[in-house]
Every structure is written in C-alpha cells, then in structure tokens.
Amino acid sequence: MSPRKHTYPRQAHSCDASLSAHVLNGSTLETTQSSSKIKEDTSSLSSTSTISLDIEEDPSSVISRKRKRGADTPSKAVTDVHTTSTRISPRKNVIKAEDEGTSGKVKKAPQVKRQPAKEVATGSGEVEIHPPPDWEEVYDAVREMRKRVLAPVDTMGCESLADVGLSEKDQRFQTLIALMLSSQTKDTTTALAMRILQTSLPAPGLTLTNILAIDPTTLNTLINAVGFHNNKTRYIKATAQILREKFHDDIPETAEGLMSLPGVGPKMAYLCMSAAWGKTEGIGVDVHVHRITNLWGWHKTKGPEETRKLLEMWLPREKWHEINHLLVGFGQTICAPVGRKCGECVLAERGLCPSAVVKVARKVKRVKREVGKVNEETLLVKEEDLLADGEVIRKEAGVAIKTEDASSDDDVV
C-alpha cells in the first residue's frame, strides 16, 4: 500500500497509524483478511458522535500545527481514511443532516418598555402627573386574575378578623390590634394569633379592658407566633393605655391620630381608617404594593411611603381602598416575592409587564457522521480517545489503535 499520513488538528504533531497489528493492554489483536469482517459494537457508540479518518497527505506537506494559547479550538476533527473499496454498514454510512430540536416548547412573551408616571408642566406653570399609559389595562387584568384564585388575604385579612358579635367600638379595637400584629407576619399567622386572643382572654374576649388587665408576659406568650412579638407586646399595652386616657376607650378617627400610637405607621393608619371607620384618606402601601408596582414600571421608588405618595398623585381616589387588597392577593398567589409565576400571568402573556421572567427555548443539535472505512473493515473511532504521546487508546468495536510518533516514516497498512 502507498504510505499515507494524517495530521490531527488538535494534536501537536502528526502520527502514523499502524493498523496491521493492534495492541491493547499488552495483548496483540491481529486483523484477518479483507474477506473477514469485524462486528461493530453499535450499542456502545449509539450516544456518541463518531468521526472518520482520511489519510491522504504527502509526508512533505505535513506541517506541525501547534495551537496557541487563547486560540479557538475546533470543536471536532473530521477526517476520512480510505483504502480499498469496502462494504459499510447501511446503518452507519450516511451522513445525516443536523436534527435541530428544542428542549421545550416555551412561548416567549412580548416585552414592553417601562412607562412610568410622568410630571408634565402646563402652560400656567403648574405640574400635572400623567399616569402610565397602560395602567387601566393592567389593573383590569389583575382584577380578573384575582377572581380565579382565592388568596389568604380574602379570608384571613385584617379587615375580616374582628368578632362581629361584639360592639362596633370593640370591633374597631380588634381591627387595630389585627393590623398591629400583621406587620412582618403572614395572614395565616395573624389570624391564628387573633383567634387565640379572642378565645383565651376573659369574656367577652379581646377588648380594651382585658388588654389593660392582662400581664405583659402572658400577652407575649399568647402572640408569640407573630414576628417581633416582644415589640408588639409593648406597643399593644402602650396603645391600650393611650386609648383609655386620650380617646375615650375608642380608636382615633383620623389617620394622624392613629399614627400617633406606638407601632402604627401610615400603612396601618390608612387601612384602619378604611376598615374600621369606612373612610378612605390614603393608600395603604405594604411590601406587595410597593414591589409589584415597581415591577410594572409605574415608578421607581425605594420604599412604601414614597410609593404611596406617587400613587396618590394620579391613581383615582375610588381605587385607593381596593388596590391594597387587590395587589396583596396577587402577590400571594401569582406575583410572589420568590418564584413568580409569570407563565400563569396574563400580564406576561400580553406583554404588559416589563419585568416578566420569560424562558427561552434551548436548541439541541444531534449530528451523525459517516463511519470511517479502514482495511476493508468498519472501524469506529472517538476523537477524544486519540492520544498524541503514543499511548494505546481504549478498545472500540473490538479494535484498538496505537498512535505512532510523528517522526516515524512507517507506512499505514
């Protein structure tokens, strides 16, 4: 046979393959005559890409190709080895086109830019607040989604925890206590603590008189399930004393009066005004309202109080009471702080939420290449099994290959 050389692109030098005798683990496997056939172990190579070898270069044209550091490395070295005409397995002799698929059919939602509320100067020098252009569509879509799923705030919100069997004054007091307990606490835990107070205190239950009479240690034990229960115990005891001395055993009927109580901020005050007195004087902005409206791009604020002030500039007053209940439930069911369900959200589907998390389908390529033909037999070789230092590679399909030094002048048999 005529001498044939091959240079592997990923090796520092070329090598001659001596295929008349194959050595594996110290043993020699001799090939038979051209009429004999080596059976392929196709099952072991069904999940790997194979390459074919083609050694056609003249020895004088072989150039050492050292890969420089940082240079791009070719993903595969594909060559062919041809000897005499052979019969190739019909299952392996055709190069199949790339079969491109995806790891999952995920529809990418259309995206929109953030369009916050804007301050626009009028001709008279006054400043008008223009609301986000799509806020009504967003608001209506959230309202429709909230009708489909029941949230904890719908059944265990602070507005619904007061004992309706008591007087209106006692109900207002219980609403205030529920709001004080709800800070940094889930609705389910707040409802449980309220139920314990209503049933553990002497009849008629949770009233101003019983809170004044209870020992702080006992009160702390009854509400220890809520967050920051030590501070809340002090706030509740101090508030009860202030209500007795300054407000005639009732809660204040103004937001300013409520905010004068220890542990009561703007959110609690405005929510209490709406729930206890039926008066809407401001928006109760909690972490859900602050977080979700920023995700929608309505504004870019750092805290709930800043969010409240901006919302009150343009949101219609008739929605001030509803928006807290609406967005708290939305944040509990779909737009959660961790693990938002954008795939179930209508806003993501319609491209109304610029913060929607969209999955991108990942393309997967499957390539089958032609099997090399060596010495009238079919031989499957993995590129990663070829070594440049003359070591014996592992056996593939019952045949082993030993690589030779590039300086050798031996012919390939």
Side-chain angles (χ1 to χ4, degrees):
M1 292 186 179
S2 60
R4 295 171 182 174
K5 295 286 185 175
H6 170 67
T7 301
Y8 293 98
R10 297 179 60 181
Q11 304 295 338
H13 57 273
S14 61
C15 63
D16 296 331
S18 178
L19 302 179
S20 59
H22 307 284
V23 181
L24 178 63
N25 297 330
S27 63
T28 303
L29 177 63
E30 296 184 357
T31 58
T32 59
Q33 299 297 325
S34 61
S35 59
S36 63
K37 298 180 178 59
I38 300 176
K39 297 183 178 180
E40 300 176 351
D41 186 5
T42 58
S43 62
S44 64
L45 297 174
S46 60
S47 63
T48 60
S49 299
T50 61
I51 64 171
S52 54
L53 306 175
D54 186 2
I55 305 177
E56 294 287 346
E57 299 182 12
D58 188 274
S60 61
S61 63
V62 176
I63 302 175
S64 176
R65 301 185 181 95
K66 289 188 177 182
R67 179 170 55 88
K68 294 183 180 180
R69 181 173 298 178
D72 294 335
T73 304
S75 58
K76 288 185 180 295
V78 181
T79 54
D80 294 327
V81 173
H82 295 285
T83 56
T84 58
S85 60
T86 59
R87 186 173 68 88
I88 305 175
S89 172
R91 298 175 57 186
K92 298 291 183 178
N93 62 344
V94 178
I95 300 178
K96 294 188 176 180
E98 294 181 352
D99 179 17
E100 294 188 1
T102 58
S103 58
K105 296 180 179 179
V106 181
K107 183 179 180 180
K108 186 174 181 180
Q111 296 294 301
V112 294
K113 294 182 179 180
R114 295 176 183 269
Q115 297 178 336
K118 296 180 180 180
E119 296 182 356
V120 180
T122 62
S124 60
E126 297 180 355
V127 177
E128 294 181 352
I129 304 297
H130 289 192
D134 58 354
W135 78 269
E136 290 183 288
E137 185 178 359
V138 171
Y139 197 91
D140 293 339
V142 173
R143 182 183 288 169
E144 291 299 320
M145 284 188 285
R146 286 281 282 110
K147 293 179 182 179
R148 305 173 190 172
V149 183
L150 193 67
V153 70
D154 297 329
T155 57
M156 291 174 282
C158 296
E159 296 181 357
S160 60
L161 297 181
D163 187 353
V164 295
L166 300 180
S167 65
E168 292 184 358
K169 181 186 293 186
D170 290 333
Q171 290 183 46
R172 289 193 291 267
F173 177 72
Q174 289 194 6
T175 300
L176 175 61
I177 297 300
L179 286 166
M180 296 178 71
L181 294 176
S182 68
S183 177
Q184 302 295 316
T185 305
K186 293 183 177 180
D187 287 337
T188 52
T189 306
T190 302
L192 176 62
M194 282 293 295
R195 185 59 180 169
I196 292 174
L197 289 175
Q198 291 167 345
T199 57
S200 300
L201 295 175
L206 179 55
T207 61
L208 176 64
T209 302
N210 284 336
I211 290 297
L212 288 170
I214 193 173
D215 179 75
T217 303
T218 304
L219 177 61
N220 192 21
T221 302
L222 294 177
I223 66 171
N224 63 0
V226 302
F228 305 100
H229 55 87
N230 293 325
N231 293 335
K232 292 175 182 178
T233 298
R234 295 195 300 270
Y235 295 155
I236 290 173
K237 290 291 290 183
T239 295
Q241 191 65 37
I242 294 173
L243 297 181
R244 169 64 57 89
E245 296 175 355
K246 296 183 178 181
F247 296 97
H248 310 288
D249 292 355
D250 203 350
I251 67 173
E253 55 182 340
T254 63
E256 291 76 12
L258 287 168
M259 284 186 278
S260 68
L261 302 174
V264 178
K267 180 200 77 170
M268 292 185 193
Y270 292 125
L271 291 177
C272 190
M273 287 298 299
S274 297
W277 292 106
K279 299 178 181 179
T280 302
E281 295 187 0
I283 301 175
V285 176
D286 66 348
V287 291
H288 288 292
V289 179
H290 167 68
R291 177 179 56 85
I292 292 174
T293 54
N294 274 273
L295 288 175
W296 289 344
W298 284 5
H299 40 246
K300 188 176 182 181
T301 55
K302 297 181 179 179
E305 184 61 14
E306 185 182 358
T307 299
R308 179 188 68 82
K309 293 178 180 179
L310 289 180
L311 284 175
E312 290 178 356
M313 290 181 180
W314 60 267
L315 188 68
R317 196 177 185 89
E318 61 270 16
K319 299 185 184 300
W320 285 13
H321 173 68
E322 179 189 33
I323 189 172
N324 178 271
H325 186 269
L326 190 71
L327 296 192
V328 168
F330 183 64
Q332 290 175 342
T333 56
I334 297 179
C335 194
V338 179
R340 304 199 305 267
K341 301 177 182 179
C342 297
E344 303 176 11
C345 183
V346 175
L347 302 181
E349 180 182 349
R350 298 179 184 176
L352 296 174
C353 179
S355 301
V357 178
V358 180
K359 294 182 179 179
V360 180
R362 180 172 57 88
K363 292 185 177 181
V364 178
K365 293 183 179 181
R366 298 178 179 87
V367 181
K368 289 187 178 181
R369 297 185 180 277
E370 184 178 4
V371 176
K373 298 163 282 186
V374 179
N375 198 21
E376 298 184 357
E377 304 296 339
T378 301
L379 180 64
L380 303 180
V381 181
K382 285 185 177 180
E383 180 189 4
E384 57 265 26
D385 291 336
L386 298 177
L387 306 179
D389 54 2
E391 296 294 332
V392 178
I393 67 173
R394 69 180 182 181
K395 186 176 180 181
E396 292 290 346
V399 178
I401 298 178
K402 181 178 180 180
T403 58
E404 300 290 342
D405 187 83
S407 61
S408 175
D409 294 330
D410 294 340
D411 295 339
V412 177
V413 181

